[in-house]
Amino acid sequence: MVCILLSIAAGKLHDLNADPLTLYALDLQKAREWGQFQPNSSTNLNRLTELLLLSDELRLYEDFAWIQLLHYEKTGAGEYKSAVKSERFFFDPKGKVNPRAELQATIRSFFVTEEIPVELIHPLCSYPARYLFLKKHLHFEFFDISKVRCERYENWKNSLNVNSVTLVFASHYLQSPASFFGHTLLKLNQNKNANSQTELLDYGVNYAADARNYNPISYAYLGLTGGYQGRFYLFPYFLKVNEYNDLENRDLWEYKIGLSEEETNILISHLWELSRAEFNYYFLNKNCSYQLLDWLEIAKPNLDLKSNLGVVISPVETIKLLLSKNELIFDKQIRPSLYSEIKSKLIEMNGEEKELFWKLTDFTNNHLDTDSLIRNFPKIRSDLVLDATLETYRYQKNRGIEFPESAKQKYKQLLKMRSQIPGENLSYKLSFDFVTPPESSHPMGRVSLGGGYSNLGSFLEWKYRFAYHDLLNSSMGSPPNGELVFLDGTVRNYEGKKPELTSFSLMRILSLHPYNFISKQLSYLVDFGWQTVVFSKEKELFGQVRPVEELNPYYRKQVSNFEAAFGYTFADEFSKFAPRFGMISVLAGSKFQSNPSFETGARIGPNIQTIYQKEFGNWKFLGSVVAQHYAFSRNPNTVTGSLKLRYLFSDTAELRLELFSERFYRELNLSFHYLF
């Protein structure tokens, strides 16, 4: 990535630039001086005084556009405070909390006529969006005073040559904590690239955390508490396409935004200003999606985007919000990942073509005569099979597979064969119906009401989930074959008992990516929270007999729970009726639980589990069996089984029937789920 903060000077800088902190201090010092600037010329002083009075008369410091340009937000006390953390973003020492002081200091800085240090640039050139705002409302040309030329800014702006803007959504990526929810960025389109079909040469803009410390615990803590600094970055778009499409197997959805020429100019002008800005990055709300919406609001204030956001701001929700604005999005297209390209070709193939494909993708077979092999399949679509084979080689190479020299030679041979087939008219047409757009996903939050019967008595239950998606939810637009659950709790009221919290999941992540010859990815599970364990009253776990005070020989306790597992998932995902036989996963891992009811206060042990899922229309079936062994305690081994059936009324309403059984406990549960 290349930070937006461009090289400060094209030529050789003074030795001062050798120390960035010293340069930063000079930048801040000059900003403060320029914010208090007093013209020597009486004419300029009179003009400055008139403009300051006029800005007060018009109350420009309360104008929504000015509030947006400085990223002011209302505090609980009703006062303003800018989200920008960099002091050099402000000309006035109180500019961070005082819109009027910063407005007047900005006007003063635009009257600066002194010589500018070579390492810095004139305020008019540093803040072109502020200049456009003040020129529009004060009807005054500040460049007539300073006589400066903003060559660096103009060269930068001309190199971008932006004609339109596209919002890009990168699909969920469960292999990285930073990408669980997906990601949004902006693409700056150039007409010349669109006309020549070279859109990959456009530039992209990304807002991201400067997360250099990747320790999982500190990463989560700093990300949730705003401990990371967020910055805007500018980069060639093809770099992100390569990273997301090819390396991380993420589909890209591109939404073209309807902005006028003036609005696009303001957007790009403020992007230049943001090179001086840093923000506190919060994973759940003040994240990439929030800042991009904030930036779009500066160009198009009447959108009123941020006021419609909830407590948690996910990239998917921002896509839905933009689509809800009439005629804002006027074009949408998918840029499928390399894996989706391969999958779509395999789905298109007939049996004979697939047979040839599997033979050709055995890149380690040195005795394979490619030419004669293809001749043995005369009725196949050669371009389809060769395209899929070549893409499979590139995909596996991107995943880190080291091919021998013979495989590289085979790849070159296949590439030569493909080049001999005319490419103007493909013999096949691909469909990406299996990739659903993010706006088709269900809402994040969930509440449910249900009840059932167990061997401990009948019960009513209430559930609440903060976010985001579980295996029984509709898979449309959501992480495929995965769970991403935060703050999921269940309260039950058993017959004759007080309501109790029976389970609470702080975080549960389950990724069940199908394992196959092309993509050899492991499935994994991480679960952390509390759950209910049923104990026997008749005998303590270490063997001492207890008196039975009630007829029911069992009692319940809530225990802390941590579980991690890895394994494989198998599915017929390359069928046109995918997956015909459902998906089956086998995971092995370990579970740790803690509670004083255990003889040592805790128990730990390995487990193995099998998960089967099958979705058909509005119905989905989910079954699992878990065999748990506690190696270092006298707790009895357990085998747990569950069967679940879901019916989908809409993307916001579900009905679920669940059967659960373990050593001391069995239940049948029916519940209605509402997603919001």
Side-chain angles (χ1 to χ4, degrees), residues 319-529:
I319 296 294
K320 293 180 180 179
L321 178 58
L322 289 174
L323 287 170
S324 69
K325 302 295 182 179
N326 292 333
E327 300 180 356
L328 179 63
I329 304 295
F330 63 92
D331 184 43
K332 179 181 74 173
Q333 64 180 10
I334 181 176
R335 190 179 295 276
S337 67
L338 187 55
Y339 186 78
S340 292
E341 289 272 7
I342 299 169
K343 182 176 178 179
S344 65
K345 291 178 175 65
L346 278 166
I347 292 174
E348 173 65 21
M349 290 181 190
N350 58 39
E352 193 175 38
E353 290 165 340
K354 284 184 180 178
E355 181 183 351
L356 176 59
F357 169 80
W358 294 120
K359 289 180 181 294
L360 290 176
T361 50
D362 184 6
F363 298 111
T364 59
N365 187 347
N366 299 329
H367 306 290
L368 196 65
D369 186 345
T370 305
D371 289 325
S372 61
L373 181 63
I374 292 180
R375 284 195 296 270
N376 290 334
F377 292 86
K379 296 182 180 180
I380 59 99
R381 290 168 286 183
S382 299
D383 55 349
L384 171 61
V385 176
L386 287 173
D387 285 346
T389 303
L390 293 169
E391 287 172 351
T392 299
Y393 179 91
R394 293 198 297 272
Y395 175 81
Q396 293 180 341
K397 188 174 179 62
N398 288 338
R399 303 292 298 179
I401 294 179
E402 293 292 336
F403 288 108
E405 186 62 31
S406 60
K408 297 177 183 178
Q409 293 302 320
K410 180 180 176 182
Y411 173 76
K412 292 180 181 178
Q413 181 185 2
L414 294 172
L415 199 61
K416 182 179 179 181
M417 294 177 63
R418 179 63 181 90
S419 67
Q420 295 171 354
I421 303 175
E424 291 80 8
N425 297 309
L426 291 176
S427 65
Y428 62 91
K429 185 177 181 180
L430 297 181
S431 171
F432 295 95
D433 293 341
F434 59 90
V435 183
T436 53
E439 65 268 19
S440 64
S441 65
H442 59 77
M444 292 191 303
R446 182 203 66 184
V447 292
S448 76
L449 181 65
Y453 177 79
S454 75
N455 61 313
L456 297 183
S458 302
F459 62 86
L460 293 175
E461 81 170 9
W462 178 82
K463 290 184 177 181
Y464 173 79
R465 183 182 75 205
F466 189 64
Y468 174 62
H469 172 78
D470 64 44
L471 278 182
L472 278 179
N473 287 138
S474 170
S475 59
M476 296 280 289
S478 297
N481 313 315
E483 284 190 349
L484 186 57
V485 174
F486 293 94
L487 305 181
D488 186 9
T490 302
V491 174
R492 281 190 175 179
N493 187 6
Y494 281 89
E495 185 178 3
K497 303 291 184 180
K498 295 181 179 179
E500 60 185 75
L501 180 68
T502 54
S503 68
F504 186 75
S505 181
L506 287 174
M507 178 184 69
R508 178 178 172 86
I509 304 171
L510 176 63
S511 176
L512 303 177
H513 190 283
Y515 182 91
N516 53 60
F517 176 77
I518 299 172
S519 180
K520 300 178 180 180
Q521 288 193 29
L522 288 176
S523 298
Y524 73 91
L525 163 69
V526 177
D527 190 5
F528 177 61

Side-chain angles (χ1 to χ4, degrees), residues 104-241:
Q104 295 205 340
T106 300
I107 295 174
R108 288 183 179 276
S109 73
F110 286 175
F111 273 77
V112 167
T113 53
E114 66 181 40
E115 184 178 352
I116 306 297
V118 66
E119 298 87 358
L120 306 180
I121 56 179
H122 193 279
L124 276 168
C125 305
S126 295
Y127 295 99
R130 295 193 199 184
Y131 157 73
L132 291 174
F133 170 82
L134 291 172
K135 180 183 177 182
K136 175 182 177 181
H137 291 280
L138 298 179
H139 306 288
F140 184 77
E141 181 52 79
F142 293 93
F143 282 97
D144 291 342
I145 301 296
S146 61
K147 307 296 182 182
V148 298
R149 295 180 59 194
C150 301
E151 293 182 354
R152 297 177 195 172
Y153 167 66
E154 292 298 334
N155 290 338
W156 174 83
K157 183 179 177 182
N158 291 335
S159 68
L160 294 181
N161 191 25
V162 181
N163 302 110
S164 61
V165 176
T166 295
L167 182 69
V168 181
F169 173 80
S171 62
H172 315 82
Y173 183 59
L174 296 184
Q175 306 302 316
S176 170
S179 305
F180 285 162
F181 293 98
H183 183 64
T184 52
L185 58 137
L186 284 187
K187 184 166 81 76
L188 309 179
N189 307 317
Q190 299 183 19
N191 276 345
K192 66 175 183 178
N193 293 335
N195 295 334
S196 60
Q197 297 183 337
T198 55
E199 296 95 335
L200 292 180
L201 298 180
D202 290 333
Y203 283 91
V205 179
N206 188 38
Y207 175 77
D210 185 12
R212 300 176 185 177
N213 184 352
Y214 213 74
N215 176 283
I217 297 177
S218 62
Y219 182 84
Y221 173 77
L222 294 174
L224 292 172
T225 59
Y228 287 122
Q229 295 299 302
R231 297 181 178 89
F232 283 83
Y233 296 91
L234 183 71
F235 47 84
Y237 185 55
F238 70 84
L239 292 178
K240 276 298 175 186
V241 171

Side-chain angles (χ1 to χ4, degrees), residues 248-371:
E248 296 184 353
N249 185 30
R250 301 169 72 176
D251 300 303
L252 298 178
W253 289 90
E254 300 177 347
Y255 302 83
K256 202 166 186 179
I257 302 175
L259 296 179
S260 67
E261 183 178 349
E262 179 185 358
E263 291 165 343
T264 302
N265 186 35
I266 294 174
L267 191 77
I268 300 306
S269 299
H270 189 58
L271 176 60
W272 174 267
E273 298 179 350
L274 289 172
S275 66
R276 307 168 63 84
E278 296 177 351
F279 304 81
N280 285 345
Y281 194 102
Y282 294 86
F283 287 168
L284 295 182
N285 43 33
K286 301 295 181 65
N287 51 28
C288 62
S289 296
Y290 175 88
Q291 293 295 353
L292 290 181
L293 289 186
D294 190 38
W295 182 27
L296 283 174
E297 264 193 355
I298 289 173
K300 207 175 182 72
N302 60 336
L303 284 179
D304 190 25
L305 296 171
K306 292 186 297 182
S307 63
N308 294 301
L309 296 173
V311 177
V312 176
I313 302 170
S314 74
V316 172
E317 296 304 312
T318 59
I319 296 294
K320 293 180 180 179
L321 178 58
L322 289 174
L323 287 170
S324 69
K325 302 295 182 179
N326 292 333
E327 300 180 356
L328 179 63
I329 304 295
F330 63 92
D331 184 43
K332 179 181 74 173
Q333 64 180 10
I334 181 176
R335 190 179 295 276
S337 67
L338 187 55
Y339 186 78
S340 292
E341 289 272 7
I342 299 169
K343 182 176 178 179
S344 65
K345 291 178 175 65
L346 278 166
I347 292 174
E348 173 65 21
M349 290 181 190
N350 58 39
E352 193 175 38
E353 290 165 340
K354 284 184 180 178
E355 181 183 351
L356 176 59
F357 169 80
W358 294 120
K359 289 180 181 294
L360 290 176
T361 50
D362 184 6
F363 298 111
T364 59
N365 187 347
N366 299 329
H367 306 290
L368 196 65
D369 186 345
T370 305
D371 289 325

Side-chain angles (χ1 to χ4, degrees), residues 47-59 104:
R47 289 177 178 174
L48 172 61
T49 303
E50 291 173 0
L51 292 177
L52 293 176
L53 291 173
L54 180 58
S55 68
D56 271 348
E57 181 182 339
L58 297 175
R59 304 183 73 86
Q104 295 205 340

